[in-house]
Each structure stands twice: as structure tokens, then as C-alpha cells.
Amino acid sequence: MAKDVIIALDFPSKEKALTFLDKFEGEEAYVKIGMELFYKEGPEIVREIKKRGHKIFLDLKIHDIPNTCIGATKSLLNLDVDMINYHAAGGYNMLSGAKGAIDESGKDVISLAVTMLTSTDEDIMHDELKIDSSLNLEEVVLSYAELTKKSGLSGIVCSALEVPKIKEKLGEDFVTVTPGIRKVKNASDDQKRVVTPKEARELGSDYIVVGRPITKADDPVKEYKEIKKEFLGE
Ligand code: C5P
């Protein structure tokens, strides 16, 4: 299975994102475009970045009734994105409907589900979302991952620390895309459960998503290359 580093383009505008990507000319790095940039700039930012030769994970976390979700998927497929994602909480009909739209298009797109948001802890899950109080967070994540696989999607976004268990239960081919990556463990920001690129490789992650360690580096390309080398074990 392909393994790669995905740079999270968490920028507020097209100008900032493209100025950053200018440094990566010739690198053809895999990038993630999230809601902030997409809602500001629209589909044009995807076309522009795609034109520069980058692969794109469009991280919009789609969640709606199956019919709307299928329509949204068809619209995104027109943009030739390489990876898209959904909320597993949308349920089987939504997830399998989306997968059906991808298959119909004949395009080679990796489809992922978000299980529980990392901002959702066990208290929120039980008290606010009213999810079965006899299940802990890990059990719910695993059951959402099983639903994702049953719906035909490629895999999930999760912590690298969860990868061994996910692969054990759902198979080596079930794709894991893992954020929360830091080169040194004590880097202080809002990511709580972090692993290094080397640990992510050892844990079996297929793709790591790296934002600030690259976007805020003095030399982003150098940092990207080092992280990629460490993750791929070259
Ligand atoms: O800057 P940093 O490396 O922390 O960025 C990680 C990226 O991965 C951000 O775009 C963030 O929204 C995303 N992400 C995450 N944790 C999740 C899901 C997505 O950090 N559980």
C-alpha cells in the first residue's frame, strides 16, 4: 500500500496557501485542504493546487442524508481529488451511498471516515451524544471503524496509537490516516497524543498528516523531506 506524508494546508487564504506551496515546486507533495481554506476560496483553490501536480486530501467531513451526501460526493469527484472523508456517524446508507458514487465514477479515490472527533471525550460521548453508556470511547471508535469497512470505504482517520488495533481487527488493507505527528515529543501545542514519524511508521500508519511542524518551520521543504524520510524509513 502507498505510504506518504500529507501536509495540512491550514491557511486562511489562497494567497497564503499558494505562497507556501511555491517553495515546494517540483516536490509534488500530497496536501490536505480543510474547511477553512475551501469555504473561503471554493473549488478554484483545489483546481489551482491540483494543476501544480499535488495530490489532494479534501478534508470536508461530509455528513448529511444519503441523497445529499451522494450529490456532494459527485461534485467533489469532478475536482479530481485523491482522498475525501465522511463522518461515520452518518450511518451505513450514507457511507455506502457515497462509496457507490465513487465506484460509479471509476475514479481512484481513497474514501475515509472520521470516527469520533478528537475533541469528543468519553463524557461528551455519553452525556451529550447519548451514545451507549456501557461502551467506552475506544469501543465506539472500533465499532464505527467496523461500520466504515462494512460500508465499503477505504479506511479511517485516527491516532497512530490506534493503528495496531484497527489493523488487527479490520485488516492490513484498511487505510489509516493519522494526524498528531511531532518530530520531538515535548513540542508544546494543542495536540495531546502525539507520535514521531518513525513511531507512526512502526505502528503501521499508511499516511501521516503533518501541519504546523512543516508550515511553521523556517525551512518547510527541508522539514518535509526529513519527516518523509523518517516516516518512509529511507
Ligand atoms: O498542525 P498539526 O500537525 O497539528 O495539524 C494536524 C492536522 O490534522 C490539522 O489540519 C487538523 O485539523 C487535522 N486533524 C487532527 N486531529 C484529528 C483530525 C484531523 O489534528 N483527529
Side-chain angles (χ1 to χ4, degrees):
M1 192 186 299
K3 298 225 171 205
D4 212 343
V5 174
I6 302 176
I7 305 173
L9 290 182
D10 292 323
F11 294 103
S13 69
K14 179 176 168 175
E15 293 68 32
K16 291 214 161 92
L18 294 181
T19 303
F20 170 79
L21 280 182
D22 284 344
K23 302 184 176 81
F24 284 80
E25 218 192 311
E27 283 298 327
E28 296 187 357
Y30 212 130
V31 300
K32 177 170 91 69
I33 297 176
M35 293 183 203
E36 183 183 16
L37 193 54
F38 189 80
Y39 290 157
K40 171 89 190 327
E41 306 294 351
E44 205 39 51
I45 186 70
V46 177
R47 293 193 191 97
E48 177 73 40
I49 292 176
K50 196 76 203 174
K51 237 192 295 172
R52 293 178 175 215
H54 298 279
K55 282 192 163 181
I56 296 179
F57 170 15
L58 191 54
D59 178 14
L60 298 181
K61 301 184 180 67
I62 299 169
H63 188 178
D64 210 313
I65 59 169
N67 190 51
T68 303
C69 178
I70 290 166
T73 301
K74 287 181 179 165
S75 295
L76 296 184
L77 289 169
N78 279 324
L79 291 172
D80 278 333
V81 292
D82 300 278
M83 198 182 270
I84 46 183
N85 61 355
Y86 305 85
H87 268 288
Y92 178 81
N93 286 345
M94 187 200 85
L95 298 170
S96 61
K99 178 63 165 83
I102 295 171
D103 288 347
E104 229 171 76
S105 76
K107 293 189 174 172
D108 185 18
V109 177
I110 296 175
S111 52
L112 304 170
V114 174
T115 56
M116 277 292 141
L117 290 172
T118 40
S119 51
T120 304
D121 62 18
E122 215 156 276
D123 284 341
I124 297 177
M125 192 181 83
H126 292 145
D127 301 343
E128 299 178 18
L129 306 184
K130 305 290 182 200
I131 288 174
D132 191 341
S133 56
S134 68
L135 299 175
N136 65 30
L137 187 65
E138 194 190 303
E139 288 165 329
V140 175
V141 167
L142 214 50
S143 131
Y144 276 30
E146 278 163 0
L147 173 69
T148 302
K149 176 150 183 175
K150 193 170 137 213
S151 308
L153 264 56
S154 322
I156 59 167
V157 181
C158 63
S159 158
L161 297 165
E162 292 160 356
V163 170
K165 184 154 262 177
I166 298 285
K167 296 273 189 188
E168 183 202 322
K169 294 261 179 211
L170 299 164
E172 275 304 312
D173 290 348
F174 195 64
V175 177
T176 51
V177 176
T178 65
I181 305 294
R182 294 294 179 266
K183 269 174 83 184
V184 278
K185 282 293 197 50
N186 59 358
S188 60
D189 55 43
D190 56 354
Q191 291 284 15
K192 293 197 175 67
R193 298 167 72 216
V194 301
V195 304
T196 65
K198 179 170 178 277
E199 285 167 335
R201 164 164 54 89
E202 289 165 354
L203 288 161
S205 294
D206 298 300
Y207 295 87
I208 55 172
V209 176
V210 188
R212 288 159 291 180
I214 295 174
T215 57
K216 301 247 187 267
D218 292 335
D219 186 343
V221 178
K222 179 167 167 269
E223 203 61 23
Y224 166 72
K225 284 184 175 165
E226 281 178 19
I227 288 173
K228 191 162 172 171
K229 201 168 161 207
E230 197 185 314
F231 178 58
L232 298 180
E234 289 165 347

